[in-house]
Amino acid sequence: MLDPVRWIDDDGRVYDKFEDCDDIFSGKLRLIDQTLLPVELKYLQTDKPEEIFDFIKRLVVRGAPAIGCAAALGLAASSKHFDSADRASFLRDLEKISSFLASSRPTAVNLFWALNRCADACRKSELSSPASLRKLLLKEALSILEEDIDMCRAIGNYGSALLENDFGVLTHCNAGALATGDYGTALSPVYVAHEKGIKLRVYSDETRPLLQGSRLTAWELDRAGVDVTTICDNMAAQLMKEGKVNIVIVGADRVAANGDAANKIGTYGVAILAKYHKIPFYVAIPYSTVDSSLKDGSLIPIEQRHRDEVARGFGKVTAPDTVKIYNPAFDVTPNELITGFITERGIIEAPFLGKL
Ligand code: MRU
């Protein structure tokens, strides 16, 4: 696959899990620069918190699970620069950098989940030297990545059972390999079905304004040899009316306890269209995307992004400077529009309360 989020040491060796060797500690976070796709496939490396923050904010790395893995590995890489003489100062530095990285984007809960998990592992340990705490931090961050890779495969195995030969699958945004450590969430069932020889037609919504569907989803599926057609967001209703869509599968950035699911802006509209056309609508997520502290989706913080993403679409003037622009990055699909959740532990059907 693409290895979108990994750890890389000074000798250029790439890791997707922890290994107890000296070289690993010289490592950095390695990412694909997703802003350059589909034109250029370029990998970046960093161990600087300001750069990691900027990469998340600018969507160099994006997609909820990938953001979580990048933040965890980024925190571990940054810890190399901590000027900590003892446990207390290491934990203080860790807290500071972790809060800084957590302020990069507000909606994907995987970001906070992964950073908390890393900080918690250090806080709960009884280790006293900064070197041993740093080792533990890297171990935890790489466990998050390793589990993410397993999670993708499990979602793919469960979700592929929903797919039949000649099915049309509609997806929105990018919840594929680029958005996770491996096969993706929404696209993992597609990849697994493809490996089994099941013939699918995938439709990728272009996904205005940043075009994750046409730039990323179409690119990675095409590269993997999957039949993919990109449509503009406003074409989904027509496609459904023509009977070309058998199932919708999307990812999510945060799911509340009752099953309301925040995903890329436009997902809610697709769910309404699917309901009208009696097409099953599935949300593929790892459990790390569930925020059971929120009773419903109205409590999910929705990121508002810069006007230029709409008014200066990829550098072109696409709206007058004098008009106001509304640019929420996500919307919330109410649970009653969701047929089921495809998770790493199996498929969950409605009612969702208590099952997530
Ligand atoms: O703004 P983005 O590109 O980070 O939004 C990503 C999405 O909405 C994805 O569908 C979601 O994170 C699920 S990724 C497996």
Side-chain angles (χ1 to χ4, degrees):
M1 284 307 274
L2 281 163
D3 297 347
V5 184
R6 291 292 182 268
W7 185 258
I8 185 165
D9 72 18
D10 268 354
D11 296 328
R13 189 165 160 226
V14 175
Y15 302 79
D16 59 12
K17 58 166 121 29
F18 183 75
E19 281 175 46
D20 208 348
C21 57
D22 287 343
D23 287 350
I24 201 168
F25 296 102
S26 70
K28 293 182 177 176
L29 163 68
R30 191 194 74 169
L31 296 169
I32 290 178
D33 183 347
Q34 300 192 31
T35 64
L36 302 179
L37 289 170
V39 178
E40 190 186 348
L41 176 57
K42 183 176 170 190
Y43 290 88
L44 302 170
Q45 297 177 22
T46 181
D47 57 10
K48 298 189 179 60
E50 298 73 22
E51 244 171 20
I52 297 158
F53 177 96
D54 174 65
F55 288 170
I56 297 174
K57 177 114 199 138
R58 282 196 303 114
L59 276 55
V60 166
V61 57
R62 31 71 45 213
I67 293 173
C69 294
L73 294 175
L75 186 63
S78 309
S79 70
K80 184 190 311 177
H81 306 298
F82 291 179
D83 189 18
S84 334
D86 54 24
R87 175 186 162 89
S89 59
F90 183 93
L91 292 181
R92 263 198 310 277
D93 288 343
L94 187 69
E95 217 63 65
K96 193 170 117 208
I97 301 301
S98 173
S99 317
F100 171 62
L101 295 178
S103 64
S104 55
R105 291 189 80 186
T107 304
V109 74
N110 309 58
L111 172 64
F112 315 111
W113 171 85
L115 289 168
N116 281 338
R117 188 171 141 176
C118 288
D120 244 20
C122 293
R123 267 187 240 114
K124 285 183 180 149
S125 84
E126 280 166 15
L127 298 168
S128 54
S129 76
S132 55
L133 283 162
R134 188 165 176 251
K135 180 172 174 181
L136 179 68
L137 178 60
L138 179 57
K139 212 170 162 184
E140 194 65 26
L142 280 163
S143 302
I144 290 174
L145 176 63
E146 190 183 357
E147 287 165 28
D148 193 77
I149 294 169
D150 291 344
M151 164 286 280
C152 290
R153 298 285 166 146
I155 286 180
N157 289 335
Y158 286 116
S160 63
L162 299 168
L163 303 177
E164 292 172 25
N165 228 5
D166 292 329
F167 257 28
V169 183
L170 177 71
T171 191
H172 190 75
C173 193
N174 174 267
L178 290 163
T180 60
D182 186 44
Y183 261 25
T185 55
L187 295 191
S188 187
V190 169
Y191 285 124
V192 171
H194 182 69
E195 281 167 7
K196 288 184 190 158
I198 297 172
K199 296 237 171 314
L200 302 171
R201 286 168 287 108
V202 179
Y203 296 96
S204 76
D205 280 346
E206 171 190 47
T207 316
R208 280 281 286 148
L210 295 181
L211 311 187
Q212 288 92 332
S214 56
R215 291 190 306 105
L216 309 177
T217 298
W219 177 80
E220 64 163 85
L221 287 174
D222 187 50
R223 194 171 180 270
V226 177
D227 178 342
V228 56
T229 305
T230 290
I231 60 165
C232 298
D233 297 341
N234 52 3
M235 297 170 187
Q238 180 61 24
L239 195 74
M240 289 182 182
K241 191 175 166 189
E242 289 172 15
K244 293 191 172 131
V245 181
N246 300 89
I247 188 169
V248 178
I249 312 180
V250 297
D253 287 79
R254 197 185 297 220
V255 175
N258 68 344
D260 292 350
N263 191 47
K264 179 53 55 193
I265 190 76
T267 304
Y268 175 33
V270 178
I272 293 170
L273 294 177
K275 183 89 170 177
Y276 181 81
H277 290 93
K278 301 189 173 44
I279 296 166
F281 181 94
Y282 282 91
V283 180
I285 48 154
Y287 267 83
S288 54
T289 298
V290 178
D291 185 350
S292 49
S293 73
L294 303 183
K295 81 173 183 352
D296 63 49
S298 66
L299 300 167
I300 299 176
I302 300 294
E303 178 182 11
Q304 301 291 327
R305 292 191 60 92
H306 198 275
R307 62 171 282 125
D308 283 358
E309 291 180 355
V310 176
R312 289 279 184 283
F314 293 90
K316 277 215 166 240
V317 177
T318 43
D321 284 338
T322 43
V323 298
K324 289 179 273 183
I325 299 288
Y326 177 51
N327 186 19
F330 301 96
D331 58 26
V332 176
T333 300
N335 64 72
E336 62 266 26
L337 298 180
I338 298 171
T339 311
F341 286 92
I342 309 170
T343 77
E344 70 272 42
R345 300 182 207 159
I347 295 178
I348 297 175
E349 271 155 15
F352 305 118
L353 197 64
K355 295 187 195 157
L356 290 166

